[in-house]
Amino acid sequence: DGVAFASSTTTTYNVVGTDVNGCTNTASVSVTVNTLPTVTATSTGSSVCSGTSVTLTGGGATTYVWDNSVVDGTAFVPTGTTSYNVVGTDVNGCTNSASTTISVNGIPVVTASSDTAGAICSGTSVTLTGGGATTYVWDNSVVDGVAFASTTTTTYNVTGTDVNGCTNTASVSVTVSALPTVTATSTGSSVCSGTAVTLTGGGATTYVWDNSVVDAVAFTPTGTTTYNVTGTDVNGCSNTASVSVTVNAIPIVFASVDNDTVCSGTFVTLTGGGALTYTWDNGVVDGVAFAATDTLTYQVIGTDVNGCSNSSSITVFVYESSAVSLPPFTAPLCLQGSFITLTGGTPVGGVYSGTGVSSGNFNPALAGVGTFPITYTIVGSNGCSNSSVSNITVQDCTGITDNIASQEVFVYPNPTNGSFSIVINSLIYTELVIKIVDVQGKEIFSSVEKDVRGSYTKQFNLEDISKGMYYIILSSGSEIKTQKLIIQ
C-alpha cells in the first residue's frame, strides 16, 4: 500500500483493511487505464543541405512539444545533423514521444572557369567548366565543358550539385571584343591586261592578302581574280573582306590600207581592225581617204568596248613622179592650117593629149576655133605619172593666103639654111607684126614694123636655130597671114 506501480490496463483493485483491533474489512477501487497515444515525428526532409529550412510535425496526439526550440509545424533552418524529439499529449492527457533525425549536408564550394584568359574576339570558341560539385547547369544555354561561340561580353552563371543534391552557384565573365569591319578596295575593278592595280584594306590595323598581294603595293594581276584580305585590329581581332578585279584582254589590233604602194599625191585609205575605235598618227582619220605625199609608217591605236587599247602599224610606200614641163604655145594657129607635130615636152618620151590631138599631132581643123589645153604626160619607170599643160589657140584665118604665086607675100629662099627674106607687095600697114614660131607655137622671132607701104622687104638670119618646119605669122589689126618656112 502506498507504493506506486504502473497500471497498464483498466482494473478494479480490492483492498482488505485491518484495524488495530485486528478487525478487517474490504473495499475496492477501479483504475481506468487509457492507452498511450502512438506519437509520430515527421520532417519535410530527413537529409537537407545546409541553409535549407525544414518543418517538423508531430502526429498521433493532440498537442506536441519539440525539443531544440522547434515549434511543431513551423519551418526552421537546422544548423547541423540533429535528432529531434517530440512529446505528444492526447485528450486524456496521456503522452507519448517520438523522434526524427535530420542530417544536414554542407553545400559544395562551386567554381566557374573559362579556358580563355582576358578578352576574346567575337565568334571565338570558349569552354566554361564548373568545379567543386558533381553536375553543373549553366545559364545562357551553355553546356558544361562544351565549347561555344561567344559574341558579346557576358557573365555566365553555373549551378553545381553534389552527390547529396546540394547546390551552389558561381559565375565567370567573358569579355568579348567586336570584330573589326574590314573593307577591301582596289584602284580598278575592271582593268586591261598588263595594267597595275593597288589593293588596300580598311577598318583594321594590319592587313594580310591572299595571292601574294601586299597591302597598298601596286601589282599586275594576271587574270580575273577575287582577292581576300584579313584585317587585324589593336585587340588582335580579325575579320575578312574581298574585292574582285576583272582583267580584260587587250584587243588584237591590225592596220590595213587599200594600196600600200602609190604615187605621190594618190589618195589612200587606212583602216584599223580588231577594236571599236581607232586613232591614227600623222593626222589620219580612220577610213577617210587622204593624199599620200611621202613614204611613212602609220601607227593606229585601237580601243575596244572595255577601254583596252593596243597598236599596230603599216607602211605606205610613196614614189615621186618625174618633173614634167611643156612650154607655152605663144602663137595662134589658123583653122585652115595643116596639123603640127607637138614637141617641146620634157623629159622626152611623153604622150600629148587634148582636143585636136592625135598620134602626137595637133590638127587645128579637128579642134576648131578656140583655146585648147594640151596635156603632156610622162609615166616613170616606177609607174608614177606627171603632166604639164599649155594652151593652143586656133583662129579663123579666112582671107589670109600663103600662096607665093599671089605675089602678096614672098619668102625666099624657102627651104633655107636660115638666111632668107620676106617680101610684101601692094600692101599698106600702119603697123605690121612679124613673128616666127616653131610647130609647137614657141616664138623664135618677133618684131613690129611701122608704116609699111608698097614693096617691103625684110631680111632674116636664123642660121643658129634647129632644122625643121616653122611658121611666119604676119598680123595687122585683125588680119593675119601665115607662111610655112623650112630650115634645112
Side-chain angles (χ1 to χ4, degrees):
D1 182 67
V3 177
F5 70 98
S7 179
S8 59
T9 59
T10 298
T11 305
T12 300
Y13 293 92
N14 299 293
V15 64
V16 176
T18 302
D19 62 13
V20 290
N21 297 309
C23 295
T24 62
N25 201 358
T26 59
S28 64
V29 62
S30 292
V31 177
T32 300
V33 177
N34 297 308
T35 304
L36 297 180
T38 303
V39 176
T40 60
T42 59
S43 172
T44 54
S46 62
S47 179
V48 298
C49 300
S50 178
T52 302
S53 64
V54 296
T55 301
L56 300 183
T57 306
T62 304
T63 61
Y64 307 93
V65 176
W66 290 86
D67 60 3
N68 290 292
S69 303
V70 172
V71 178
D72 189 72
T74 301
F76 71 99
V77 177
T79 59
T81 298
T82 304
S83 182
Y84 295 90
N85 300 295
V86 62
V87 176
T89 302
D90 62 12
V91 293
N92 295 313
C94 296
T95 63
N96 207 346
S97 65
S99 65
T100 183
T101 299
I102 298 177
S103 297
V104 177
N105 301 305
I107 60 174
V109 180
V110 176
T111 60
S113 62
S114 169
D115 65 346
T116 61
I120 63 172
C121 301
S122 178
T124 300
S125 290
V126 60
T127 301
L128 302 183
T129 306
T134 305
T135 61
Y136 306 92
V137 177
W138 292 85
D139 58 6
N140 291 290
S141 302
V142 173
V143 178
D144 190 71
V146 177
F148 67 98
S150 182
T151 57
T152 58
T153 296
T154 304
T155 297
Y156 297 91
N157 301 296
V158 63
T159 299
T161 303
D162 62 14
V163 292
N164 297 312
C166 295
T167 63
N168 205 350
T169 60
S171 63
V172 62
S173 292
V174 178
T175 301
V176 177
S177 299
L179 299 183
T181 303
V182 176
T183 59
T185 58
S186 171
T187 53
S189 60
S190 180
V191 298
C192 302
S193 179
T195 301
V197 297
T198 301
L199 303 184
T200 306
T205 304
T206 60
Y207 307 92
V208 176
W209 292 84
D210 60 5
N211 291 288
S212 302
V213 173
V214 178
D215 190 68
V217 175
F219 70 100
T220 302
T222 57
T224 296
T225 306
T226 296
Y227 297 90
N228 301 295
V229 63
T230 299
T232 304
D233 62 14
V234 292
N235 297 317
C237 296
S238 300
N239 208 346
T240 60
S242 63
V243 62
S244 293
V245 178
T246 300
V247 177
N248 299 303
I250 60 174
I252 300 175
V253 176
F254 56 88
S256 61
V257 64
D258 56 351
N259 191 351
D260 64 355
T261 303
V262 296
C263 301
S264 179
T266 301
F267 278 83
V268 297
T269 302
L270 298 180
T271 306
L276 180 63
T277 61
Y278 306 93
T279 301
W280 292 84
D281 59 4
N282 292 293
V284 173
V285 178
D286 190 71
V288 176
F290 67 97
T293 57
D294 297 291
T295 296
L296 283 177
T297 297
Y298 298 88
Q299 184 181 61
V300 62
I301 297 175
T303 304
D304 63 15
V305 292
N306 297 314
C308 297
S309 300
N310 205 350
S311 63
S312 182
S313 60
I314 191 169
T315 300
V316 178
F317 298 92
V318 177
Y319 295 108
E320 294 294 332
S321 301
S322 301
V324 176
S325 66
L326 179 63
F329 300 101
T330 58
L333 300 180
C334 290
L335 180 64
Q336 294 78 12
S338 61
F339 65 83
I340 62 171
T341 299
L342 297 172
T343 59
T346 56
V348 298
V351 177
Y352 295 92
S353 61
T355 302
V357 177
S358 177
S359 300
N361 299 312
F362 179 79
N363 189 339
L366 181 63
V369 175
T371 299
F372 305 97
I374 304 301
T375 301
Y376 181 68
T377 302
I378 288 288
V379 179
S381 60
N382 56 17
C384 297
S385 64
N386 202 358
S387 301
S388 181
V389 179
S390 291
N391 293 327
I392 287 181
T393 300
V394 177
Q395 295 181 343
D396 187 354
C397 299
T398 302
I400 300 176
T401 179
D402 60 358
N403 185 356
I404 297 177
S406 68
Q407 297 186 357
E408 291 181 351
V409 177
F410 295 91
V411 178
Y412 64 91
N414 190 13
T416 177
N417 62 1
S419 179
F420 60 94
S421 298
I422 297 176
V423 178
I424 303 173
N425 293 320
S426 304
L427 296 175
I428 299 175
Y429 299 101
T430 57
E431 184 178 277
L432 177 65
V433 177
I434 302 174
K435 290 184 179 183
I436 299 175
V437 300
D438 62 15
V439 293
Q440 297 177 5
K442 182 177 180 181
E443 187 176 280
I444 304 302
F445 174 84
S446 177
S447 69
V448 179
E449 308 296 326
K450 301 292 186 180
D451 196 23
V452 178
R453 297 175 179 272
S455 179
Y456 176 82
T457 301
K458 187 172 181 65
Q459 294 181 337
F460 294 85
N461 187 1
L462 302 178
E463 293 177 350
D464 294 331
I465 67 175
S466 301
K467 297 178 181 180
M469 184 176 71
Y470 295 83
Y471 291 90
I472 299 172
I473 302 174
L474 306 174
S475 62
S476 179
S478 61
E479 185 178 6
I480 299 174
K481 302 177 184 290
T482 62
Q483 171 66 50
K484 292 179 183 178
L485 174 65
I486 305 297
I487 297 179
Q488 60 185 15

